[in-house]
Amino acid sequence: MKALDILALGEPLMEFAETRRGDEKLYLPGFGGDVSNTAIAAARQGAKVAIFTALGDDAFGNDFLNLWGREGVDRSTVIRRKDGRTGVYFISYGEEGHVFSYARAGSAASLVTEAELPLAQIAASRVLHVSGISQAISTSCADAVFAAIRHAKANGTTVSYDTNLRLRLWPLDRARAVIHGAVALSDIARPSLDDAQQLTGLERPEDICTFYLALGCSIVVLTMGKAGTMVKTEDHLEVVPARPVKAVDATGAGDTFGGAFLADWLAHGDPFKAAAYANAAAALSTLGQGAVAPMPRREDVARFLAA
């Protein structure tokens, strides 16, 4: 019996989101980072979750430790770097929507190496969750994620990989090589349609799912925004409809989907049912501002699905 449901590995980022008070522009603090968001989303669905990363020995690092403590996310293996700093990003709004600005180069998390991996915790988890961003932030992190995936596989831990392509962090050719190399070692591939079209050069969702399944994973969960989620296994393909809502802010919707999917899938093993649940959770997460604050809890999702 594994002690943990999910271990998330990657970089947390302190968030500052633009708002207005009259003519004055303000930035409200919040929490971001894809795997941290995914971990919290899963914990709010009742999963036993841990996170591994490195933080600076600074106020933002303290804030993240306190956040994970409040959310019930195990942070016992998180590294604090005395001379390090925690990454930051800013959200502003332009004519085409969100504009992201990052101050993450050289962050404590980006310095993680293979030698620092919590091998016992990886082996004790039912799922290891990582992402393209986990590998994009530095060469040492890319290598560490590959090592974590291989250790997970050797110990019967399922690997979940969110492609989460960020071309500000690395060029497309390198991203494609690393991400597809990692997906080939993973069990669950979680691309978005926009990411996958750039990474594969394919347009049709069916072709994209076939491509990722052929790499070696056993479940492909392709999120397509308002068009829903396409789920493909070796013997079945299904489009799970999205849940329409009047969205306010979709900042954390993808990560909420990922955490809710894993938590629900672990409960029953049906990826199609889990995608329907995750679509509902993601829809609810768009009804408030920021990545973390509006993430629903299991009872909220159950009530929404029953309405």
Side-chain angles (χ1 to χ4, degrees), residues 221 229 231 240 257 260-281:
V221 185
T229 301
V231 182
V240 182
F257 178 97
F261 176 87
L262 290 174
D264 199 60
W265 176 75
L266 284 170
H268 49 67
D270 183 337
F272 305 97
K273 182 179 176 182
Y277 181 90
N279 279 350

mmCIF file of all heavy atoms in Angstrom, residues 221 229 231 240 257 260-281:
data_model
loop_
_atom_site.group_PDB
_atom_site.id
_atom_site.type_symbol
_atom_site.label_atom_id
_atom_site.label_comp_id
_atom_site.label_asym_id
_atom_site.label_seq_id
_atom_site.Cartn_x
_atom_site.Cartn_y
_atom_site.Cartn_z
ATOM 1 N N VAL A 221 -4.954 12.460 -22.254
ATOM 2 C CA VAL A 221 -6.054 13.329 -21.841
ATOM 3 C C VAL A 221 -5.783 14.697 -22.461
ATOM 4 O O VAL A 221 -4.975 15.474 -21.957
ATOM 5 C CB VAL A 221 -6.136 13.421 -20.305
ATOM 6 C CG1 VAL A 221 -7.357 14.234 -19.881
ATOM 7 C CG2 VAL A 221 -6.189 12.030 -19.685
ATOM 8 N N THR A 229 -12.823 17.683 -23.527
ATOM 9 C CA THR A 229 -11.593 16.924 -23.326
ATOM 10 C C THR A 229 -11.680 15.616 -24.096
ATOM 11 O O THR A 229 -12.651 14.865 -23.951
ATOM 12 C CB THR A 229 -11.376 16.620 -21.831
ATOM 13 O OG1 THR A 229 -11.315 17.852 -21.113
ATOM 14 C CG2 THR A 229 -10.091 15.840 -21.602
ATOM 15 N N VAL A 231 -10.259 11.962 -24.507
ATOM 16 C CA VAL A 231 -9.527 10.943 -23.764
ATOM 17 C C VAL A 231 -9.378 9.722 -24.657
ATOM 18 O O VAL A 231 -10.352 9.242 -25.257
ATOM 19 C CB VAL A 231 -10.258 10.551 -22.465
ATOM 20 C CG1 VAL A 231 -9.444 9.517 -21.692
ATOM 21 C CG2 VAL A 231 -10.526 11.783 -21.606
ATOM 22 N N VAL A 240 -15.224 14.171 -23.914
ATOM 23 C CA VAL A 240 -16.018 14.476 -22.726
ATOM 24 C C VAL A 240 -16.376 15.959 -22.772
ATOM 25 O O VAL A 240 -15.480 16.805 -22.803
ATOM 26 C CB VAL A 240 -15.228 14.150 -21.447
ATOM 27 C CG1 VAL A 240 -16.069 14.423 -20.211
ATOM 28 C CG2 VAL A 240 -14.760 12.693 -21.469
ATOM 29 N N PHE A 257 -7.861 21.238 -13.521
ATOM 30 C CA PHE A 257 -8.249 20.032 -14.253
ATOM 31 C C PHE A 257 -7.283 18.897 -13.931
ATOM 32 O O PHE A 257 -7.699 17.778 -13.621
ATOM 33 C CB PHE A 257 -8.265 20.302 -15.759
ATOM 34 C CG PHE A 257 -8.616 19.082 -16.577
ATOM 35 C CD1 PHE A 257 -9.910 18.884 -17.009
ATOM 36 C CD2 PHE A 257 -7.651 18.129 -16.889
ATOM 37 C CE1 PHE A 257 -10.246 17.741 -17.731
ATOM 38 C CE2 PHE A 257 -7.972 16.990 -17.608
ATOM 39 C CZ PHE A 257 -9.269 16.798 -18.038
ATOM 40 N N ALA A 260 -7.664 17.602 -10.291
ATOM 41 C CA ALA A 260 -8.955 16.942 -10.101
ATOM 42 C C ALA A 260 -9.001 15.618 -10.864
ATOM 43 O O ALA A 260 -9.544 14.615 -10.373
ATOM 44 C CB ALA A 260 -10.080 17.861 -10.557
ATOM 45 N N PHE A 261 -8.430 15.601 -12.067
ATOM 46 C CA PHE A 261 -8.399 14.363 -12.853
ATOM 47 C C PHE A 261 -7.656 13.269 -12.098
ATOM 48 O O PHE A 261 -8.152 12.139 -11.958
ATOM 49 C CB PHE A 261 -7.742 14.606 -14.216
ATOM 50 C CG PHE A 261 -7.592 13.339 -15.020
ATOM 51 C CD1 PHE A 261 -8.624 12.912 -15.836
ATOM 52 C CD2 PHE A 261 -6.438 12.573 -14.930
ATOM 53 C CE1 PHE A 261 -8.508 11.718 -16.552
ATOM 54 C CE2 PHE A 261 -6.312 11.383 -15.638
ATOM 55 C CZ PHE A 261 -7.354 10.956 -16.451
ATOM 56 N N LEU A 262 -6.455 13.569 -11.624
ATOM 57 C CA LEU A 262 -5.669 12.548 -10.948
ATOM 58 C C LEU A 262 -6.345 12.056 -9.678
ATOM 59 O O LEU A 262 -6.396 10.844 -9.418
ATOM 60 C CB LEU A 262 -4.272 13.086 -10.628
ATOM 61 C CG LEU A 262 -3.345 13.319 -11.818
ATOM 62 C CD1 LEU A 262 -2.053 13.985 -11.366
ATOM 63 C CD2 LEU A 262 -3.045 12.011 -12.557
ATOM 64 N N ALA A 263 -6.881 12.988 -8.884
ATOM 65 C CA ALA A 263 -7.540 12.595 -7.641
ATOM 66 C C ALA A 263 -8.735 11.688 -7.916
ATOM 67 O O ALA A 263 -8.935 10.670 -7.239
ATOM 68 C CB ALA A 263 -7.980 13.836 -6.869
ATOM 69 N N ASP A 264 -9.532 12.035 -8.921
ATOM 70 C CA ASP A 264 -10.718 11.239 -9.209
ATOM 71 C C ASP A 264 -10.339 9.913 -9.864
ATOM 72 O O ASP A 264 -10.914 8.864 -9.544
ATOM 73 C CB ASP A 264 -11.671 12.029 -10.107
ATOM 74 C CG ASP A 264 -13.088 11.478 -10.067
ATOM 75 O OD1 ASP A 264 -13.683 11.457 -8.971
ATOM 76 O OD2 ASP A 264 -13.600 11.053 -11.130
ATOM 77 N N TRP A 265 -9.379 9.945 -10.776
ATOM 78 C CA TRP A 265 -8.933 8.714 -11.431
ATOM 79 C C TRP A 265 -8.389 7.710 -10.421
ATOM 80 O O TRP A 265 -8.659 6.506 -10.517
ATOM 81 C CB TRP A 265 -7.877 9.050 -12.484
ATOM 82 C CG TRP A 265 -7.286 7.851 -13.162
ATOM 83 C CD1 TRP A 265 -7.875 7.063 -14.119
ATOM 84 C CD2 TRP A 265 -5.990 7.293 -12.921
ATOM 85 N NE1 TRP A 265 -7.017 6.061 -14.498
ATOM 86 C CE2 TRP A 265 -5.861 6.183 -13.781
ATOM 87 C CE3 TRP A 265 -4.939 7.644 -12.082
ATOM 88 C CZ2 TRP A 265 -4.700 5.402 -13.810
ATOM 89 C CZ3 TRP A 265 -3.786 6.879 -12.120
ATOM 90 C CH2 TRP A 265 -3.682 5.771 -12.965
ATOM 91 N N LEU A 266 -7.655 8.186 -9.426
ATOM 92 C CA LEU A 266 -7.120 7.295 -8.403
ATOM 93 C C LEU A 266 -8.231 6.633 -7.591
ATOM 94 O O LEU A 266 -8.045 5.540 -7.051
ATOM 95 C CB LEU A 266 -6.174 8.052 -7.470
ATOM 96 C CG LEU A 266 -4.782 8.350 -8.039
ATOM 97 C CD1 LEU A 266 -4.032 9.304 -7.130
ATOM 98 C CD2 LEU A 266 -3.979 7.061 -8.243
ATOM 99 N N ALA A 267 -9.383 7.291 -7.522
ATOM 100 C CA ALA A 267 -10.494 6.748 -6.736
ATOM 101 C C ALA A 267 -11.184 5.571 -7.415
ATOM 102 O O ALA A 267 -11.740 4.703 -6.740
ATOM 103 C CB ALA A 267 -11.515 7.849 -6.448
ATOM 104 N N HIS A 268 -11.161 5.521 -8.778
ATOM 105 C CA HIS A 268 -11.912 4.466 -9.464
ATOM 106 C C HIS A 268 -11.228 3.904 -10.710
ATOM 107 O O HIS A 268 -11.649 2.877 -11.238
ATOM 108 C CB HIS A 268 -13.303 4.968 -9.852
ATOM 109 C CG HIS A 268 -13.307 6.285 -10.560
ATOM 110 N ND1 HIS A 268 -12.787 6.465 -11.813
ATOM 111 C CD2 HIS A 268 -13.763 7.509 -10.162
ATOM 112 C CE1 HIS A 268 -12.930 7.724 -12.170
ATOM 113 N NE2 HIS A 268 -13.501 8.393 -11.190
ATOM 114 N N GLY A 269 -10.213 4.563 -11.260
ATOM 115 C CA GLY A 269 -9.459 4.028 -12.381
ATOM 116 C C GLY A 269 -10.075 4.235 -13.750
ATOM 117 O O GLY A 269 -9.560 3.703 -14.742
ATOM 118 N N ASP A 270 -11.148 5.017 -13.856
ATOM 119 C CA ASP A 270 -11.812 5.253 -15.138
ATOM 120 C C ASP A 270 -11.423 6.645 -15.646
ATOM 121 O O ASP A 270 -11.898 7.655 -15.119
ATOM 122 C CB ASP A 270 -13.333 5.165 -14.968
ATOM 123 C CG ASP A 270 -14.088 5.328 -16.280
ATOM 124 O OD1 ASP A 270 -13.545 5.922 -17.230
ATOM 125 O OD2 ASP A 270 -15.257 4.884 -16.341
ATOM 126 N N PRO A 271 -10.567 6.756 -16.697
ATOM 127 C CA PRO A 271 -10.113 8.078 -17.138
ATOM 128 C C PRO A 271 -11.212 8.915 -17.783
ATOM 129 O O PRO A 271 -11.153 10.145 -17.755
ATOM 130 C CB PRO A 271 -9.015 7.750 -18.154
ATOM 131 C CG PRO A 271 -9.342 6.382 -18.642
ATOM 132 C CD PRO A 271 -9.952 5.666 -17.477
ATOM 133 N N PHE A 272 -12.233 8.289 -18.340
ATOM 134 C CA PHE A 272 -13.326 9.025 -18.974
ATOM 135 C C PHE A 272 -14.216 9.673 -17.908
ATOM 136 O O PHE A 272 -14.588 10.845 -18.023
ATOM 137 C CB PHE A 272 -14.126 8.084 -19.881
ATOM 138 C CG PHE A 272 -13.264 7.405 -20.896
ATOM 139 C CD1 PHE A 272 -12.779 6.113 -20.677
ATOM 140 C CD2 PHE A 272 -12.898 8.052 -22.069
ATOM 141 C CE1 PHE A 272 -11.948 5.490 -21.602
ATOM 142 C CE2 PHE A 272 -12.069 7.436 -23.009
ATOM 143 C CZ PHE A 272 -11.597 6.157 -22.764
ATOM 144 N N LYS A 273 -14.520 8.925 -16.881
ATOM 145 C CA LYS A 273 -15.275 9.463 -15.751
ATOM 146 C C LYS A 273 -14.467 10.558 -15.047
ATOM 147 O O LYS A 273 -15.012 11.596 -14.652
ATOM 148 C CB LYS A 273 -15.607 8.338 -14.776
ATOM 149 C CG LYS A 273 -16.434 8.742 -13.582
ATOM 150 C CD LYS A 273 -16.723 7.538 -12.691
ATOM 151 C CE LYS A 273 -17.482 7.945 -11.422
ATOM 152 N NZ LYS A 273 -17.715 6.759 -10.542
ATOM 153 N N ALA A 274 -13.160 10.342 -14.900
ATOM 154 C CA ALA A 274 -12.308 11.335 -14.244
ATOM 155 C C ALA A 274 -12.235 12.624 -15.050
ATOM 156 O O ALA A 274 -12.179 13.722 -14.484
ATOM 157 C CB ALA A 274 -10.911 10.771 -14.028
ATOM 158 N N ALA A 275 -12.253 12.525 -16.378
ATOM 159 C CA ALA A 275 -12.223 13.722 -17.221
ATOM 160 C C ALA A 275 -13.506 14.531 -17.064
ATOM 161 O O ALA A 275 -13.474 15.768 -17.048
ATOM 162 C CB ALA A 275 -12.020 13.335 -18.676
ATOM 163 N N ALA A 276 -14.648 13.863 -16.951
ATOM 164 C CA ALA A 276 -15.913 14.572 -16.731
ATOM 165 C C ALA A 276 -15.881 15.310 -15.395
ATOM 166 O O ALA A 276 -16.323 16.470 -15.288
ATOM 167 C CB ALA A 276 -17.078 13.589 -16.785
ATOM 168 N N TYR A 277 -15.359 14.647 -14.382
ATOM 169 C CA TYR A 277 -15.227 15.281 -13.070
ATOM 170 C C TYR A 277 -14.280 16.481 -13.144
ATOM 171 O O TYR A 277 -14.571 17.566 -12.627
ATOM 172 C CB TYR A 277 -14.711 14.254 -12.059
ATOM 173 C CG TYR A 277 -14.549 14.798 -10.667
ATOM 174 C CD1 TYR A 277 -15.591 14.730 -9.757
ATOM 175 C CD2 TYR A 277 -13.356 15.394 -10.260
ATOM 176 C CE1 TYR A 277 -15.460 15.236 -8.479
ATOM 177 C CE2 TYR A 277 -13.215 15.902 -8.989
ATOM 178 C CZ TYR A 277 -14.269 15.826 -8.097
ATOM 179 O OH TYR A 277 -14.138 16.344 -6.833
ATOM 180 N N ALA A 278 -13.144 16.299 -13.822
ATOM 181 C CA ALA A 278 -12.148 17.360 -13.909
ATOM 182 C C ALA A 278 -12.656 18.546 -14.726
ATOM 183 O O ALA A 278 -12.320 19.700 -14.433
ATOM 184 C CB ALA A 278 -10.859 16.813 -14.496
ATOM 185 N N ASN A 279 -13.445 18.280 -15.782
ATOM 186 C CA ASN A 279 -14.045 19.383 -16.535
ATOM 187 C C ASN A 279 -14.909 20.250 -15.633
ATOM 188 O O ASN A 279 -14.899 21.485 -15.738
ATOM 189 C CB ASN A 279 -14.902 18.834 -17.683
ATOM 190 C CG ASN A 279 -14.090 18.452 -18.906
ATOM 191 O OD1 ASN A 279 -12.903 18.755 -19.001
ATOM 192 N ND2 ASN A 279 -14.724 17.782 -19.844
ATOM 193 N N ALA A 280 -15.668 19.618 -14.755
ATOM 194 C CA ALA A 280 -16.519 20.369 -13.828
ATOM 195 C C ALA A 280 -15.678 21.178 -12.844
ATOM 196 O O ALA A 280 -15.959 22.356 -12.579
ATOM 197 C CB ALA A 280 -17.441 19.411 -13.083
ATOM 198 N N ALA A 281 -14.630 20.567 -12.305
ATOM 199 C CA ALA A 281 -13.754 21.280 -11.370
ATOM 200 C C ALA A 281 -13.084 22.464 -12.042
ATOM 201 O O ALA A 281 -12.995 23.563 -11.467
ATOM 202 C CB ALA A 281 -12.709 20.329 -10.799
#
